[in-house]
Amino acid sequence: MSTTSLLASLPVPDRAARLRDALLAADFTADGLLERLGAAAYAALARSETVPALRATRGDGPLDTLVRLFLLQRPVPRDRARAALPLEEALADGWVAEEGEEIRATVDVRPYGGPEGEDWFIVSDLGCAVGGAGGASGHDEGVVLGVGGASTTLAGITVRTPVGSALDLGTGSGIQALHAAQHATRVTATDLNPRALGFTRLTLALSGAPEADLRTGSLFEPVGSESYDLIVSNPPFVISPLAVGDPGARLTYRDGGMGGDDLCRTLVQQAGDRLKDGGYAHFLANWQHVEGEDWQERLRSWVPLGCDAWIVQREVQDITQYTELWLRDAGDHRAGREAYEARYEAWLDEFEARKTKAVGFGWITLRKSGAERPSIVIEEWPHPVEQPLGEAVRAHFARQDYLRSRDDAALLADHFVLAPEVVQEQVGLPGAEDPEHVVLRQHRGMRRATKVDAVGAGFAGVCDGSLSAGRILDAIAQLLGEDPVLLRDRTPEAIRLLVEEGFLEPAAT
């Protein structure tokens, strides 16, 4: 099927503003859905369970009709559809279609709440809004999914400072482009799948956002040598044998067409040349844990020259868990035992050939610093965090700049304050006179915790910006009966760690 005919099968966005007005008038919004469905039915939708929502929308009001039509994809009577939306326009523009005396949706339209309370709408293929495609198939160029956990994770970790230009690489249904349009003067969105660009156009139009520059192609090919202040990508990162010649490789949204983790590596390595000075690039990625190789060193080799990096591994799965996850995502578990086991064997054969023992998942953020001594922080952090993290990511790189510019003498001359929402916990046996150890814990952002000794606890406790670090250490040395010179010599490393992890902040900032 040609690109022209594929895009012709999608709705026309020209009169999306009229449809948007109707959706808002019916309170077809994220908040409106929660109120109408109730918490249990609303949460069930995120698990792709529709029965509770069907039971909650047995009325005949406009909101009930729109939920059944666009979220649950059930046909509704013509008169109810006419009462809920501009029916003739929606039919003519292709948002809905006639089915006898009933009206059915041609696309999934899902309310999505923006970071500042905006009422947005994400448009995707029917049956592909949440929880993966679930084995959905249809168009040769691949289905287009709506918003899932990966999409919202990437949106949450992205730095949201005003920028001149942003690139959403592998845009899918357009959620990252929609976010970027709120703080970027110019947004470019690319995708190998031309239907994805059509859905991005619909998402932006129905959400009342400016149009983006939409380009078809793989990786950075559509943008050539152009550079950007912000690059975001939720790429097809799945490491599967489907990407290396299997004729069943049809899930464009997840299978990247390169072996192993080469697609993610290539994307990260090539991003450095497309970033403007001071610009950020944010990626979700999978990477191999290879026998005899340190996974952190593997990722360190991906970081392009001139860039600082912060790479966070959020989860690790052994190859059997990973295989089962993505076979179920594709619906292969419903293809019969013989076919399922053959596909399972193919995945394990591929991992064995590459000496892959596990697969990691996480976030990769680059910042074009041009520093002679780039900061590359690679860590494992499977613990809960507080989204959105964009400001925490920006602050992380600001702290790297600060620490790079300070030797130990300068560090001790500076003033610090304890970061907001940091508390101190004393751990020990009940009734003991002194704690076994003291823990500093963050209640925001990454929600880190770190164990400190008596000097570290005392130092953090009095950091209110009024005294320099050196003077605080001198006072602590006097209290503990220690040599102040020795304490000044051995403490800067601990201070650097507390600053790097966000427990302490330079008072000037």
Side-chain angles (χ1 to χ4, degrees):
M1 185 178 291
S2 69
T3 297
T4 301
S5 58
L6 283 167
L7 297 180
S9 67
L10 298 180
V12 178
D14 298 352
R15 292 183 286 188
R18 286 264 293 150
L19 177 58
R20 172 179 171 80
D21 289 343
L23 300 181
L24 295 177
D27 207 17
F28 187 65
T29 63
D31 290 340
L33 286 182
L34 179 59
E35 183 176 347
R36 181 70 184 89
L37 301 180
Y42 189 82
L45 276 180
R47 303 191 300 270
S48 300
E49 296 291 347
T50 59
V51 172
L54 282 168
R55 292 174 61 86
T57 55
R58 288 180 288 194
D60 58 2
L63 182 54
D64 295 315
T65 299
L66 293 171
V67 171
R68 285 180 167 252
L69 185 65
F70 287 119
L71 262 66
L72 308 180
Q73 284 125 42
R74 300 299 176 97
V76 300
R78 182 183 297 271
D79 58 341
R80 287 184 56 182
R82 179 171 284 109
L85 50 79
L87 182 57
E88 278 65 35
E89 288 183 5
L91 283 166
D93 292 347
W95 294 94
V96 296
E98 296 174 300
E99 195 171 78
E101 292 302 313
E102 294 184 313
I103 302 297
R104 62 174 178 83
T106 61
V107 291
D108 184 291
V109 176
R110 191 155 301 251
Y112 178 84
E116 302 298 329
E118 302 95 340
D119 290 318
W120 292 341
F121 301 95
I122 310 301
V123 188
S124 64
D125 268 316
L126 294 173
C128 300
V130 292
S137 62
H139 302 284
D140 294 337
E141 277 74 7
V143 296
V144 177
L145 272 65
V147 176
S151 302
T152 56
T153 293
L154 180 59
I157 67 172
T158 300
V159 175
R160 297 296 176 192
T161 53
V163 295
S165 58
L167 171 64
D168 176 11
L169 194 152
T171 185
S173 57
I175 178 60
Q176 308 305 330
L178 179 57
H179 275 280
Q182 311 309 305
H183 63 102
T185 303
R186 176 174 59 89
V187 176
T188 301
T190 71
D191 206 291
L192 182 63
N193 182 358
R195 296 186 71 254
L197 299 178
F199 277 111
T200 294
R201 182 179 288 108
L202 296 173
T203 289
L204 294 174
L206 197 56
S207 298
E211 294 183 3
D213 178 7
L214 305 177
R215 307 185 192 182
T216 305
S218 177
L219 298 178
F220 289 102
E221 180 271 331
V223 300
S225 60
E226 296 176 36
S227 59
Y228 298 85
D229 299 298
L230 173 67
I231 299 172
V232 293
S233 183
N234 177 14
F237 52 64
V238 176
I239 300 172
S240 84
L242 297 178
V244 288
D246 191 301
R250 65 187 182 280
L251 299 180
T252 309
Y253 73 90
R254 69 167 211 189
D255 298 315
M258 295 185 184
D261 53 17
D262 284 353
L263 182 136
C264 292
R265 175 185 55 80
T266 301
L267 186 61
V268 173
Q269 289 180 336
Q270 293 182 354
D273 291 334
R274 272 76 176 191
L275 274 178
K276 294 183 178 181
D277 291 343
Y280 288 90
H282 303 274
F283 308 101
L284 299 186
N286 279 184
W287 43 79
Q288 298 170 149
H289 285 229
V290 178
E291 185 178 342
E293 181 180 15
D294 186 302
W295 68 270
Q296 293 181 321
E297 289 305 311
R298 181 183 189 85
L299 291 177
R300 187 177 298 275
S301 72
W302 291 10
V303 178
L305 292 175
C307 288
D308 295 337
W310 186 18
I311 301 175
V312 181
Q313 180 167 272
R314 295 288 288 159
E315 184 179 1
V316 180
Q317 290 186 324
D318 67 51
I319 57 175
T320 60
Q321 292 174 308
Y322 189 81
T323 298
E324 291 159 14
L325 169 67
W326 293 110
L327 290 181
R328 283 177 169 79
D329 171 82
D332 289 325
H333 60 301
R334 297 195 294 267
R337 176 169 293 278
E338 184 175 345
Y340 175 74
E341 291 181 351
R343 183 56 58 84
Y344 203 142
E345 288 275 7
W347 281 62
L348 295 185
D349 286 345
E350 179 70 16
F351 285 131
E352 183 178 342
R354 294 181 177 275
K355 298 183 179 180
T356 302
K357 58 184 181 179
V359 177
F361 170 82
W363 320 322
I364 298 177
T365 296
L366 306 177
R367 189 192 54 159
K368 187 70 168 287
S369 66
E372 293 183 9
R373 295 180 294 116
S375 165
I376 301 177
V377 177
I378 304 173
E379 61 178 323
E380 187 164 14
W381 191 255
H383 312 294
V385 299
E386 182 189 53
Q387 287 277 31
L389 274 170
E391 177 54 27
V393 173
R394 186 208 60 76
H396 166 88
F397 287 98
R399 292 193 297 269
Q400 304 310 310
D401 285 343
Y402 167 80
L403 291 171
R404 237 186 330 235
S405 69
R406 296 295 195 277
D407 60 16
D408 286 355
L411 194 73
L412 293 177
D414 280 350
H415 297 229
F416 298 93
V417 295
L418 194 65
E421 305 296 330
V422 172
V423 298
Q424 176 179 300
E425 300 174 357
Q426 295 185 342
V427 181
L429 294 174
E433 183 175 346
D434 296 312
E436 294 178 12
H437 58 266
V438 175
V439 172
L440 300 181
R441 187 179 302 278
Q442 301 168 351
H443 284 282
R444 304 295 299 272
M446 293 294 286
R447 293 178 173 168
R448 297 186 187 276
T450 188
K451 186 165 66 173
V452 293
D453 59 14
V455 173
F459 182 87
V462 297
C463 277
D464 61 2
S466 60
L467 296 175
S468 69
R471 291 190 61 186
I472 292 174
L473 290 179
D474 291 343
I476 292 175
Q478 185 174 4
L479 285 173
L480 298 180
E482 292 198 28
D483 185 330
V485 175
L486 294 178
L487 190 60
R488 278 175 172 253
D489 285 344
R490 66 178 173 86
T491 305
E493 183 178 353
I495 296 175
R496 286 184 184 277
L497 182 61
L498 291 175
V499 172
E500 180 176 325
E501 295 190 341
F503 291 94
L504 294 177
E505 300 174 352
T509 61

Short mmCIF file of all heavy atoms in Angstrom, two decimals, residues 23-58:
data_model
loop_
_atom_site.label_atom_id
_atom_site.label_comp_id
_atom_site.label_asym_id
_atom_site.label_seq_id
_atom_site.Cartn_x
_atom_site.Cartn_y
_atom_site.Cartn_z
N LEU A 23 -15.57 17.84 22.45
CA LEU A 23 -15.02 16.96 23.48
C LEU A 23 -14.90 17.69 24.82
O LEU A 23 -15.23 17.13 25.88
CB LEU A 23 -13.64 16.45 23.04
CG LEU A 23 -13.58 15.63 21.74
CD1 LEU A 23 -12.15 15.17 21.47
CD2 LEU A 23 -14.51 14.44 21.78
N LEU A 24 -14.43 18.93 24.76
CA LEU A 24 -14.29 19.71 26.00
C LEU A 24 -15.65 20.05 26.59
O LEU A 24 -15.82 20.03 27.82
CB LEU A 24 -13.49 20.98 25.73
CG LEU A 24 -12.04 20.79 25.32
CD1 LEU A 24 -11.38 22.13 25.01
CD2 LEU A 24 -11.26 20.06 26.41
N ALA A 25 -16.62 20.35 25.73
CA ALA A 25 -17.96 20.68 26.22
C ALA A 25 -18.59 19.51 26.97
O ALA A 25 -19.36 19.71 27.92
CB ALA A 25 -18.85 21.11 25.06
N ALA A 26 -18.27 18.29 26.56
CA ALA A 26 -18.80 17.10 27.22
C ALA A 26 -17.95 16.68 28.41
O ALA A 26 -18.26 15.67 29.06
CB ALA A 26 -18.89 15.95 26.22
N ASP A 27 -16.89 17.42 28.72
CA ASP A 27 -15.94 17.09 29.79
C ASP A 27 -15.21 15.78 29.51
O ASP A 27 -14.90 15.01 30.42
CB ASP A 27 -16.66 17.01 31.15
CG ASP A 27 -15.71 17.33 32.31
OD1 ASP A 27 -14.63 17.90 32.05
OD2 ASP A 27 -16.05 17.01 33.47
N PHE A 28 -14.95 15.54 28.22
CA PHE A 28 -14.17 14.37 27.81
C PHE A 28 -12.70 14.72 27.98
O PHE A 28 -11.95 14.94 27.04
CB PHE A 28 -14.50 14.02 26.35
CG PHE A 28 -13.89 12.74 25.84
CD1 PHE A 28 -14.24 11.52 26.37
CD2 PHE A 28 -12.96 12.78 24.81
CE1 PHE A 28 -13.67 10.34 25.89
CE2 PHE A 28 -12.40 11.61 24.31
CZ PHE A 28 -12.75 10.39 24.85
N THR A 29 -12.28 14.79 29.24
CA THR A 29 -10.92 15.16 29.63
C THR A 29 -10.42 14.14 30.63
O THR A 29 -11.18 13.29 31.12
CB THR A 29 -10.90 16.55 30.28
OG1 THR A 29 -11.68 16.50 31.49
CG2 THR A 29 -11.50 17.61 29.34
N ALA A 30 -9.14 14.21 30.97
CA ALA A 30 -8.58 13.28 31.95
C ALA A 30 -9.30 13.41 33.29
O ALA A 30 -9.68 12.40 33.91
CB ALA A 30 -7.08 13.53 32.11
N ASP A 31 -9.53 14.64 33.74
CA ASP A 31 -10.24 14.84 35.01
C ASP A 31 -11.69 14.43 34.90
O ASP A 31 -12.26 13.83 35.83
CB ASP A 31 -10.14 16.31 35.43
CG ASP A 31 -8.74 16.70 35.87
OD1 ASP A 31 -7.95 15.79 36.20
OD2 ASP A 31 -8.43 17.91 35.88
N GLY A 32 -12.31 14.74 33.77
CA GLY A 32 -13.71 14.37 33.57
C GLY A 32 -13.91 12.87 33.55
O GLY A 32 -14.90 12.35 34.09
N LEU A 33 -12.96 12.14 32.95
CA LEU A 33 -13.06 10.69 32.93
C LEU A 33 -12.94 10.10 34.32
O LEU A 33 -13.70 9.19 34.70
CB LEU A 33 -11.96 10.10 32.05
CG LEU A 33 -12.10 10.22 30.54
CD1 LEU A 33 -10.94 9.52 29.87
CD2 LEU A 33 -13.41 9.63 30.06
N LEU A 34 -11.99 10.62 35.10
CA LEU A 34 -11.81 10.10 36.45
C LEU A 34 -13.07 10.31 37.27
O LEU A 34 -13.50 9.41 38.02
CB LEU A 34 -10.62 10.80 37.11
CG LEU A 34 -10.29 10.38 38.55
CD1 LEU A 34 -10.01 8.89 38.63
CD2 LEU A 34 -9.10 11.17 39.07
N GLU A 35 -13.68 11.48 37.15
CA GLU A 35 -14.90 11.76 37.90
C GLU A 35 -16.06 10.88 37.43
O GLU A 35 -16.83 10.39 38.24
CB GLU A 35 -15.26 13.24 37.77
CG GLU A 35 -16.49 13.64 38.58
CD GLU A 35 -16.75 15.13 38.51
OE1 GLU A 35 -15.87 15.87 38.04
OE2 GLU A 35 -17.85 15.54 38.93
N ARG A 36 -16.17 10.69 36.12
CA ARG A 36 -17.31 9.94 35.58
C ARG A 36 -17.17 8.44 35.82
O ARG A 36 -18.13 7.76 36.20
CB ARG A 36 -17.44 10.18 34.07
CG ARG A 36 -18.63 9.46 33.42
CD ARG A 36 -19.93 10.10 33.90
NE ARG A 36 -21.10 9.39 33.39
CZ ARG A 36 -21.69 8.36 34.01
NH1 ARG A 36 -21.18 7.92 35.17
NH2 ARG A 36 -22.75 7.80 33.50
N LEU A 37 -15.98 7.90 35.62
CA LEU A 37 -15.79 6.46 35.72
C LEU A 37 -15.55 5.98 37.14
O LEU A 37 -15.89 4.85 37.49
CB LEU A 37 -14.61 6.02 34.84
CG LEU A 37 -14.70 6.31 33.34
CD1 LEU A 37 -13.45 5.81 32.64
CD2 LEU A 37 -15.95 5.68 32.74
N GLY A 38 -14.95 6.85 37.96
CA GLY A 38 -14.51 6.41 39.27
C GLY A 38 -13.10 5.85 39.19
O GLY A 38 -12.63 5.42 38.13
N ALA A 39 -12.41 5.84 40.32
CA ALA A 39 -11.00 5.47 40.35
C ALA A 39 -10.75 4.05 39.87
O ALA A 39 -9.80 3.78 39.13
CB ALA A 39 -10.44 5.67 41.76
N ALA A 40 -11.62 3.11 40.27
CA ALA A 40 -11.38 1.70 39.93
C ALA A 40 -11.51 1.47 38.42
O ALA A 40 -10.65 0.83 37.81
CB ALA A 40 -12.36 0.81 40.69
N ALA A 41 -12.59 1.97 37.82
CA ALA A 41 -12.78 1.78 36.38
C ALA A 41 -11.73 2.54 35.59
O ALA A 41 -11.27 2.06 34.54
CB ALA A 41 -14.18 2.24 35.98
N TYR A 42 -11.33 3.71 36.07
CA TYR A 42 -10.31 4.51 35.39
C TYR A 42 -8.97 3.77 35.40
O TYR A 42 -8.27 3.70 34.39
CB TYR A 42 -10.18 5.86 36.09
CG TYR A 42 -9.31 6.87 35.37
CD1 TYR A 42 -9.81 7.63 34.33
CD2 TYR A 42 -7.99 7.09 35.77
CE1 TYR A 42 -9.02 8.57 33.67
CE2 TYR A 42 -7.20 8.02 35.14
CZ TYR A 42 -7.72 8.76 34.09
OH TYR A 42 -6.93 9.68 33.45
N ALA A 43 -8.62 3.18 36.54
CA ALA A 43 -7.37 2.43 36.64
C ALA A 43 -7.43 1.17 35.79
O ALA A 43 -6.42 0.76 35.20
CB ALA A 43 -7.09 2.07 38.09
N ALA A 44 -8.60 0.56 35.69
CA ALA A 44 -8.74 -0.64 34.87
C ALA A 44 -8.45 -0.36 33.40
O ALA A 44 -7.90 -1.21 32.69
CB ALA A 44 -10.13 -1.24 35.04
N LEU A 45 -8.81 0.83 32.93
CA LEU A 45 -8.53 1.19 31.54
C LEU A 45 -7.03 1.13 31.25
O LEU A 45 -6.62 0.73 30.15
CB LEU A 45 -9.05 2.59 31.23
CG LEU A 45 -10.53 2.73 30.86
CD1 LEU A 45 -10.85 4.20 30.61
CD2 LEU A 45 -10.87 1.89 29.64
N ALA A 46 -6.22 1.54 32.20
CA ALA A 46 -4.77 1.50 32.02
C ALA A 46 -4.25 0.08 31.93
O ALA A 46 -3.14 -0.14 31.46
CB ALA A 46 -4.08 2.25 33.16
N ARG A 47 -5.06 -0.89 32.41
CA ARG A 47 -4.69 -2.30 32.28
C ARG A 47 -5.36 -2.94 31.07
O ARG A 47 -5.39 -4.16 30.94
CB ARG A 47 -5.08 -3.05 33.55
CG ARG A 47 -4.48 -2.50 34.84
CD ARG A 47 -4.72 -3.46 36.01
NE ARG A 47 -6.12 -3.69 36.27
CZ ARG A 47 -6.87 -2.96 37.10
NH1 ARG A 47 -6.31 -1.91 37.73
NH2 ARG A 47 -8.14 -3.23 37.30
N SER A 48 -5.96 -2.11 30.21
CA SER A 48 -6.68 -2.58 29.02
C SER A 48 -7.91 -3.39 29.38
O SER A 48 -8.37 -4.22 28.58
CB SER A 48 -5.75 -3.39 28.10
OG SER A 48 -4.68 -2.60 27.67
N GLU A 49 -8.47 -3.16 30.55
CA GLU A 49 -9.71 -3.82 30.97
C GLU A 49 -10.86 -2.83 30.81
O GLU A 49 -10.83 -1.74 31.40
CB GLU A 49 -9.61 -4.29 32.43
CG GLU A 49 -8.55 -5.35 32.67
CD GLU A 49 -8.91 -6.69 32.03
OE1 GLU A 49 -10.08 -6.86 31.61
OE2 GLU A 49 -8.02 -7.56 31.95
N THR A 50 -11.86 -3.18 30.02
CA THR A 50 -12.91 -2.23 29.64
C THR A 50 -14.25 -2.47 30.33
O THR A 50 -15.11 -1.59 30.31
CB THR A 50 -13.14 -2.28 28.13
OG1 THR A 50 -13.51 -3.62 27.75
CG2 THR A 50 -11.87 -1.89 27.38
N VAL A 51 -14.46 -3.64 30.93
CA VAL A 51 -15.78 -3.95 31.49
C VAL A 51 -16.21 -2.94 32.55
O VAL A 51 -17.36 -2.47 32.53
CB VAL A 51 -15.81 -5.39 32.04
CG1 VAL A 51 -17.12 -5.66 32.79
CG2 VAL A 51 -15.66 -6.39 30.89
N PRO A 52 -15.34 -2.56 33.52
CA PRO A 52 -15.79 -1.56 34.50
C PRO A 52 -16.21 -0.25 33.86
O PRO A 52 -17.19 0.37 34.29
CB PRO A 52 -14.55 -1.38 35.40
CG PRO A 52 -13.81 -2.67 35.29
CD PRO A 52 -13.99 -3.08 33.86
N ALA A 53 -15.50 0.20 32.82
CA ALA A 53 -15.87 1.46 32.15
C ALA A 53 -17.18 1.31 31.39
O ALA A 53 -17.98 2.24 31.33
CB ALA A 53 -14.75 1.91 31.21
N LEU A 54 -17.40 0.15 30.80
CA LEU A 54 -18.68 -0.09 30.12
C LEU A 54 -19.84 0.01 31.10
O LEU A 54 -20.89 0.59 30.79
CB LEU A 54 -18.67 -1.46 29.44
CG LEU A 54 -17.89 -1.57 28.12
CD1 LEU A 54 -17.71 -3.03 27.73
CD2 LEU A 54 -18.62 -0.80 27.03
N ARG A 55 -19.66 -0.56 32.28
CA ARG A 55 -20.73 -0.51 33.28
C ARG A 55 -20.96 0.92 33.78
O ARG A 55 -22.08 1.28 34.13
CB ARG A 55 -20.36 -1.42 34.45
CG ARG A 55 -20.36 -2.91 34.10
CD ARG A 55 -19.85 -3.74 35.27
NE ARG A 55 -20.69 -3.60 36.45
CZ ARG A 55 -21.79 -4.32 36.67
NH1 ARG A 55 -22.20 -5.22 35.77
NH2 ARG A 55 -22.49 -4.15 37.77
N ALA A 56 -19.87 1.71 33.82
CA ALA A 56 -20.00 3.08 34.33
C ALA A 56 -20.57 4.04 33.31
O ALA A 56 -20.91 5.18 33.65
CB ALA A 56 -18.63 3.58 34.80
N THR A 57 -20.69 3.63 32.05
CA THR A 57 -21.17 4.53 30.99
C THR A 57 -22.44 3.99 30.34
O THR A 57 -22.60 4.07 29.13
CB THR A 57 -20.07 4.73 29.93
OG1 THR A 57 -19.65 3.46 29.42
CG2 THR A 57 -18.88 5.47 30.51
N ARG A 58 -23.33 3.48 31.17
CA ARG A 58 -24.59 2.95 30.62
C ARG A 58 -25.65 4.04 30.45
O ARG A 58 -26.76 3.75 30.00
CB ARG A 58 -25.12 1.83 31.53
CG ARG A 58 -24.29 0.55 31.42
CD ARG A 58 -24.78 -0.56 32.30
NE ARG A 58 -24.49 -0.31 33.72
CZ ARG A 58 -24.57 -1.24 34.67
NH1 ARG A 58 -24.93 -2.48 34.36
NH2 ARG A 58 -24.31 -0.94 35.92
#
